[in-house]
Structures are given as structure tokens and as C-alpha cells.
Amino acid sequence: MKLYSGYINELIDELAALPGIGNKSAQRLAFYIIGMSDERVNKLSGSIVQAKQHVHYCKVCQNLTDTEICPICSDPSRDPSTIMVVEHPQDLAAYEKTGKYKGLYHVLHGSISPMLGVGPDDLRIKELLQRLGPESRVKEVIIATNSDLEGETTAMYLSKLIKLLGVKTTRIASGVPVGGDLENIDEMTLLRALDGRTEI
Ligand code: ZN
């Protein structure tokens, strides 16, 4: 016998299916939502629907945005000669929080993982190479993928392709803990990793 009515169970199941939310948290969130005012619930559900409808990948850097070209790519004060390649939008957010990096980005949306069946074609690699064509003003590509096996595999794969195009390729220093997600690393460590980058 299920403890709650169908609607509550459905809500708990949907929340529990989100990353990082276990059954207990899902239950807590579901009861919290039920206790919220109609206005707040409408606002929450509306913002989920709106975000899903309007957010897509930036045509240039593949970061999430609700404009055709994201605010970073369209900012004339950013240095177009450097592209930092990251795995996920939250990695970009971590570097942006430091306020020290003034170049552009490219978001791969993952890393190469034969174990999980993720190959180069599943990532936004083609779009990166397009940005490095003959017309390109890019002088350096900084590969800031994670320092776990998948991140290193991706870095090696990219560096081979980018070097063929005659663009300098660097890798952030391994000050970033192995297996550590970039978004969970403090600003100082991120900046040290960026400053200590070496050509590969
Ligand atoms: Zn962009």
C-alpha cells in the first residue's frame, strides 16, 4: 500500500529522479511545495516551463543562453584570441566567478567516456573546431576539462586535433584535485590552475 495519494507520489517520484536528490529529500521538497502558496507554485512551475522553452545552446560557445549568442560571446571587451574549453556550463560559471579570465569559452557538454559510451561525436567538438578555422583570431586554446580519466582523455584528443590547425594548445595545471568537478573547487585553486597552464 502506498502511503500517500497518487499526486503526491507522482511529485515525489519526479523530484527523486533529479540528480543529487534522494527519496527523503524528494519527500521533504514535495511536502514543502504542497505547503507553498498557489502564487509561488505557479511561479516555480512557470519558470521551469519557460526555461525549458527558451534556453538553448549559444550558437558560438554552446553555453546555455536564451539569446542566439550568449552575453559572453557578444561582449566586445572579452579577448577573442583565447578560448577556454570546459566540460559543463557550471565549470564556466566557476571561472566567471573569479572575474579574472577575460577570454572566451567553449562548452563541450561532457567528456569522452568509452565506459559510458560517450564518444567525440556526442560532444560539441565539431563546433569548437569550426571556431578555429582559417579566418579565426584564436591564438590559444586552454583545455580546462576535469583531471579525471575522462577529462584527460578528452584533453589529449582535443590537443591532437587543435595542434593540426596550428593553434597553441595549453592544459590547466594539475592543481585541480583528481576527479574533482571544477565547480566545487575554490577560486584560488582555479586561478592557480589557470596561471600554471602548460603547452601540450
Ligand atoms: Zn556564447
Side-chain angles (χ1 to χ4, degrees):
M1 192 187 84
K2 287 254 185 183
L3 212 49
Y4 310 114
S5 81
Y7 289 121
I8 295 182
N9 282 325
E10 202 179 309
L11 181 57
I12 294 173
D13 287 348
E14 286 300 328
L15 292 167
L18 297 172
I21 298 188
N23 256 323
K24 242 179 161 171
S25 300
Q27 205 170 307
R28 194 161 42 85
L29 287 170
F31 291 149
Y32 183 81
I33 292 168
I34 301 292
M36 277 160 59
S37 68
D38 287 354
E39 193 193 340
R40 284 192 62 204
V41 172
N42 286 335
K43 221 170 148 189
L44 174 64
S45 58
S47 68
I48 294 173
V49 173
Q50 292 288 338
K52 184 63 192 154
Q53 270 174 5
H54 297 289
V55 175
H56 50 256
Y57 293 163
C58 166
K59 240 175 116 179
V60 180
C61 73
Q62 312 298 314
N63 190 22
L64 296 173
T65 180
D66 51 13
T67 47
E68 192 180 357
I69 298 188
C70 78
I72 296 175
C73 289
S74 44
D75 180 350
S77 75
R78 307 288 302 217
D79 169 16
S81 71
T82 312
I83 292 179
M84 185 195 289
V85 179
V86 295
E87 292 183 14
H88 302 287
Q90 50 268 44
D91 302 327
L92 179 157
Y95 272 103
E96 276 302 284
K97 257 207 295 201
T98 70
K100 294 272 166 35
Y101 176 70
K102 294 295 175 205
L104 300 175
Y105 294 94
H106 192 89
V107 183
L108 297 172
H109 294 280
S111 52
I112 296 172
S113 171
M115 285 256 291
L116 297 174
V118 182
D121 291 344
D122 300 313
L123 307 174
R124 298 284 163 144
I125 292 176
K126 192 173 80 244
E127 290 81 356
L128 171 64
L129 299 176
Q130 275 164 5
R131 297 175 71 185
L132 306 174
E135 312 273 276
S136 145
R137 287 187 289 172
V138 179
K139 293 198 176 71
E140 180 183 353
V141 175
I142 304 168
I143 303 179
T145 51
N146 290 346
S147 54
D148 54 14
L149 178 65
E150 290 79 14
E152 292 299 344
T153 307
T154 309
M156 291 314 294
Y157 180 85
L158 288 178
S159 75
K160 273 186 205 152
L161 290 175
I162 297 167
K163 271 192 281 190
L164 285 175
L165 297 168
V167 179
K168 183 179 169 187
T169 314
T170 56
R171 177 87 174 105
I172 54 167
S174 53
V176 177
V178 173
D181 281 351
L182 287 183
E183 61 164 328
N184 294 324
I185 292 163
D186 69 90
E187 284 183 22
M188 281 312 293
T189 311
L190 276 184
L191 290 174
R192 266 202 301 273
L194 183 58
D195 283 343
R197 67 186 184 273
T198 46
E199 194 160 352
I200 51 169

